[in-house]
Amino acid sequence: MEEEKIEAAREPLLSSNQGRPRKNKYALGCGALASMTSILMGYHVAVISGAQKYMQEDLGVSNTQIEILSGILNLASLFGSFAASYTSDRIGRRATITIASAIFFVGSLVITFATNFVILLVGRFVTGIAVGYALMIAPVYTSEISPTSMRGLLSSLPEVFINSGILLSYVSNLAFSGFSVNISWRLMFGIAAIPPAFLACGILAMPESPRWLVMRGHLGEARRVLVKTSDSPEEADARLQDIKEVVGIPLDCNEDVVIVPRSEKNKENVWKEMFTDQSTPAVKRIIFTVIIVQFFQQASGTEAVVLYTPRVLAKAGLKSDTELLGATILVGLAKLGFILVATFTSDKLGRRLLFLLSAGGMVISYVALGFGLEIIDWTHEENFSWAAVVCILAVVAVVMSFSIGFGPLAWVYSSEILPLRLRGQGASLGTVMNRIMSGVVAVTFISLYEAITVAGSFFLFAGITAIGWVFVYFCLPETKGRSLEDIEMLFE
């Protein structure tokens, strides 16, 4: 009987999806606030792209040390993602976002006042912990606060904000490049200490995740949040019933506060369900999919484009700082623009189609970039030429292709296919894979292109991305329009 009630409650949800309900502004505002930490993450990831030249001149940092500074962010983010998994379950999603903001503030100040490589390394490590927090908590919160009709839009916001941060870092590189060498790069990092203070105030206006509230037994408060963040009262009831069922609360329980048994044994059971014979085929497929999707997002090599764009464009023939940093801003604009395209179309076109378009476009763009760089090497062309134009357009095409699919949707897809009972640990596993591969690309790219040439590096990335396209085609079911609790059935 209860199942019939749940299905009846879901009917308005399905029909509302078909009728394209107007956007829930409250849910949109909550998702935007939660995703603000992602701006800081994107800024810190990419600001070293333009700052590294001035850091080398001021502090004598070597190419190898630049690779380490770029990669340490990703290593530290592993610790941050696991810590965020713990705090998000223990003290809440909202408090975890606050912690991320505070760590970003501290890391920014340490880097700004660094006087040698060791202090720089400490500052980047601290910032990397905050990156791990942001990577884990922003997609989880936005997916849990989102009505089904807007889940693709809201779950894409963290990636939109990451790329907004990347673009702002490129603008900062250009804006502060005119200052003296010992001041310019410090301003590039130091300005990032300002936003966390304002973000801490904004977080006070956010509600806690309704799923976390139910897990803590606060049904009345969860119901109020769901009413505000759903397209209809019927959808709010359906979402609450789904969460109660997963948490283990009787469906006919309507108390405002109930006791939900919690123990460390429950945590152990989650890991057992994912990695032992107790796990179902559906759970195994979901965990495998999350890990592989995150692998291909970074193994495709876009981290190299983000971190080393000025170096790549210098190989293509651009010489002056203004040309290099100006072209980098063009790359950032293209990246952000197509992230927005994916954000506003993923709920209409579906995740699968955008994944396929993204991977296919990246393969073609990498091949064009590789051939353009090869031609420049063969002809020993030192001045700006048609081959340089091909290279610049190919770099822009790479980030455009990445941003329309794999960039935002890897996080959307990973967060929405994980069942509630596995979401914290599963999201952390995906983040770990993402950060490991991002770190590998960041730490090895300079050494890689010195060994097999820049063109050879991009041909390698093209091959890896082509394998990713095959994986998407054969292994990823469409999740558009499905409730979070129903998606698990797609993998059975």
Side-chain angles (χ1 to χ4, degrees):
M1 192 67 181
E2 290 294 342
E3 292 180 359
E4 293 177 0
K5 291 180 181 179
I6 293 175
E7 291 302 321
R10 283 180 181 147
E11 287 301 321
L13 170 61
L14 295 174
S15 61
S16 67
N17 285 342
Q18 294 170 354
R20 293 184 183 179
R22 59 190 179 87
K23 303 301 183 186
N24 186 308
K25 294 181 180 178
Y26 184 78
L28 182 61
C30 293
L33 274 174
S35 302
M36 288 295 290
T37 54
S38 300
I39 289 184
L40 298 171
M41 175 204 157
Y43 188 94
H44 279 284
V45 166
V47 69
I48 197 170
S49 172
Q52 57 187 263
K53 174 183 177 181
Y54 307 102
M55 295 165 70
Q56 288 181 305
E57 291 181 18
D58 184 28
L59 301 181
V61 179
S62 67
N63 278 342
T64 300
Q65 290 174 327
I66 287 295
E67 285 185 319
I68 294 172
L69 289 172
S70 299
I72 195 68
L73 203 74
N74 300 294
L75 174 63
S77 68
L78 299 180
F79 297 96
S81 65
F82 277 118
S85 174
Y86 177 83
T87 59
S88 67
D89 282 346
R90 289 303 178 99
I91 63 176
R93 288 21 172 174
R94 190 172 64 171
T96 301
I97 296 171
T98 304
I99 292 173
S101 301
I103 300 174
F104 271 125
F105 177 80
V106 173
S108 299
L109 292 183
V110 172
I111 297 173
T112 301
F113 295 104
T115 55
N116 54 54
F117 171 72
V118 174
I119 299 177
L120 281 174
L121 196 63
V122 171
R124 289 287 283 178
F125 189 88
V126 171
T127 305
I129 292 175
V131 166
Y133 265 84
L135 274 173
M136 186 272 172
I137 194 58
V140 169
Y141 181 88
T142 52
S143 68
E144 292 180 348
I145 206 77
S146 306
T148 302
S149 63
M150 295 177 63
R151 195 173 62 243
L153 168 63
L154 294 186
S155 296
S156 296
L157 284 181
E159 190 68 21
V160 172
F161 281 58
I162 287 172
N163 285 273
S164 298
I166 290 173
L167 177 59
L168 288 174
S169 74
Y170 292 158
V171 173
S172 170
N173 290 154
L174 181 60
F176 296 124
S177 62
F179 288 80
S180 61
V181 169
N182 65 323
I183 294 295
S184 58
W185 68 269
R186 297 180 190 277
L187 290 174
M188 294 174 192
F189 284 99
I191 197 172
I194 299 174
F198 294 97
L199 178 57
C201 298
I203 292 172
L204 297 176
M206 289 169 48
E208 185 52 84
S209 157
R211 284 177 169 78
W212 185 84
L213 291 171
V214 174
M215 291 168 66
R216 287 291 177 173
H218 301 294
L219 299 185
E221 188 176 351
R223 188 180 296 109
R224 289 189 288 273
V225 175
L226 286 168
V227 168
K228 291 182 179 180
T229 59
S230 298
D231 292 327
S232 66
E234 293 83 4
E235 181 187 353
D237 290 338
R239 290 171 67 187
L240 181 60
Q241 293 292 79
D242 283 337
I243 301 169
K244 285 162 62 177
E245 184 176 20
V246 171
V247 173
I249 298 174
L251 299 183
D252 58 355
C253 177
N254 293 310
E255 301 294 329
D256 280 350
V257 180
V258 299
I259 297 176
V260 181
R262 297 177 62 86
S263 67
E264 290 304 313
K265 187 175 180 180
N266 292 334
K267 292 287 184 182
E268 294 174 5
N269 289 338
V270 169
W271 292 108
K272 287 180 180 178
E273 183 177 357
M274 291 193 292
F275 294 113
T276 69
D277 293 336
Q278 296 180 14
S279 62
T280 65
V283 168
K284 290 178 180 177
R285 293 188 187 105
I286 287 171
I287 299 302
F288 176 79
T289 300
V290 168
I291 292 173
I292 298 302
V293 165
Q294 295 293 350
F295 169 84
F296 279 117
Q297 194 210 46
Q298 292 300 328
S300 61
T302 52
E303 187 82 355
V305 176
V306 170
L307 292 176
Y308 301 110
T309 297
R311 289 177 181 258
V312 175
L313 295 178
K315 294 286 185 180
L318 297 182
K319 299 301 180 185
S320 71
D321 287 353
T322 302
E323 288 178 342
L324 289 170
L325 296 177
T328 301
I329 291 176
L330 175 63
V331 171
L333 285 170
K335 192 171 175 59
L336 176 59
F338 275 76
I339 283 284
L340 293 173
V341 171
T343 298
F344 289 104
T345 60
S346 63
D347 284 323
K348 299 176 183 178
L349 300 180
R351 286 54 154 158
R352 178 180 161 83
L353 175 61
L354 292 178
F355 269 128
L356 293 172
L357 290 174
S358 175
M362 289 172 68
V363 171
I364 295 171
S365 303
Y366 275 139
V367 171
L369 177 57
F371 276 120
L373 292 169
E374 284 286 4
I375 290 171
I376 291 174
D377 284 342
W378 293 338
T379 59
H380 302 288
E381 180 64 63
E382 296 183 356
N383 298 317
F384 191 77
S385 65
W386 66 268
V389 174
V390 170
C391 291
I392 295 171
L393 294 178
V395 169
V396 173
V398 167
V399 298
M400 286 167 51
S401 300
F402 178 78
S403 300
I404 203 172
F406 260 101
L409 297 185
W411 299 106
V412 173
Y413 200 86
S414 295
S415 63
E416 68 185 0
I417 66 175
L418 284 164
L420 173 62
R421 64 189 183 278
L422 310 176
R423 190 160 296 141
Q425 291 80 358
S428 291
L429 285 174
T431 302
V432 167
M433 173 56 74
N434 185 282
R435 293 298 88 195
I436 287 175
M437 292 312 304
S438 178
V440 168
V441 172
V443 170
T444 62
F445 183 68
I446 295 177
S447 301
L448 181 66
Y449 77 63
E450 288 177 348
I452 65 173
T453 74
V454 181
S457 301
F458 290 121
F459 286 137
L460 175 62
F461 292 143
I464 294 172
T465 309
I467 298 172
W469 188 97
V470 174
F471 172 78
V472 170
Y473 185 84
F474 287 104
C475 299
L476 263 59
E478 182 56 70
T479 57
K480 179 185 68 172
R482 297 270 187 166
S483 72
L484 291 178
E485 280 69 28
D486 285 342
I487 287 175
E488 186 175 351
M489 294 187 296
L490 294 175
F491 289 84
E492 290 180 351

